[in-house]
Amino acid sequence: MSELLHADGVTRCSWCGSDPLYVAYHDTEWGVAEYDDRALFEKLILDGFQAGLAWITILRKREGFRSAFDGFQPEIIARYTPERIEALMADPGIVRNRSKIVSTVRSAQAWLDIMEKGPGFSKMLWEINGPVLDNRRAPGDPPIVTSPVAAAMSKELKQRGFNFVGPTIVYAFMQAVGMVDDHVVSCHRHGKGGAGKGASGKVTHDAPVAGGLAPGGHA
């Protein structure tokens, strides 16, 4: 983890570089606590599509994804037919990975089951997460790529029928939706994502695991 002083005089996490789209994402979205059930579904699916790719690739295609996947409305996606899947495979506006597309349909069905039978998607995830953890990342600290909470959340999601939700992907998701604050402490966004708003959790945030990637793979 490192910092970068931009031309506008603002210090940011270095992973967002100088691309205006990436900087705007860093400044307005990444690390902001999200509680909306549908928005959380969208962000989890997009993090799954990122696997093996740079996040900026997904960010540049996000509007294409939203258009192709009916605004990430699980009620619609859950009813996609094989013909619709083939149409998505021909859509240049998204990442055309058959396994990830089919997984999105199954994940939408799992989301509906959680919403209908309880406890609700947002409630389930935030209860696993607990209060927002501020990791207080200093310049030079290695990026965190997973944690025991991410492993617990990954396990629950897999048991519920989700795919492409391994612990590393889930930790990237947790960073994006503000379940953890991994902005470097000198970044102007550190501490501004809504820390303390999470529900009481079942698993502690002990021993996050550091690695060689940028936050959440956003490199």
Side-chain angles (χ1 to χ4, degrees), residues 10 43 84-85 97 118 149 177 181 185:
V10 175
K43 291 187 177 185
R84 182 57 184 274
I85 291 173
N97 180 298
V149 171
V177 302
D181 184 349
V185 292

Side-chain angles (χ1 to χ4, degrees), residues 49-102:
F49 268 97
Q50 182 207 349
L53 303 169
W55 176 248
I56 190 63
T57 301
I58 302 301
L59 200 57
R60 288 171 178 156
K61 288 179 174 286
R62 182 163 61 172
E63 291 307 317
F65 272 103
R66 287 172 173 167
S67 176
F69 284 95
D70 293 286
F72 284 100
Q73 298 179 72
E75 300 88 347
I76 298 176
I77 297 172
R79 300 195 301 271
Y80 280 3
T81 62
E83 291 75 19
R84 182 57 184 274
I85 291 173
E86 291 306 316
L88 289 168
M89 284 295 297
D91 190 336
I94 67 171
V95 174
R96 291 174 285 184
N97 180 298
R98 185 178 300 275
S99 295
K100 293 177 181 179
I101 292 171
V102 171

Side-chain angles (χ1 to χ4, degrees), residues 118-120 123-131 148-149 152-153 156 159-160 198-206:
K123 181 173 173 30
M124 181 187 79
L125 296 178
W126 278 99
E127 284 187 345
I128 295 171
N129 187 77
V149 171
M153 193 176 295
E156 181 69 22
Q159 290 176 341
R160 297 275 187 166
S200 295
K202 300 175 182 176
V203 183
T204 61
H205 282 275
D206 293 336

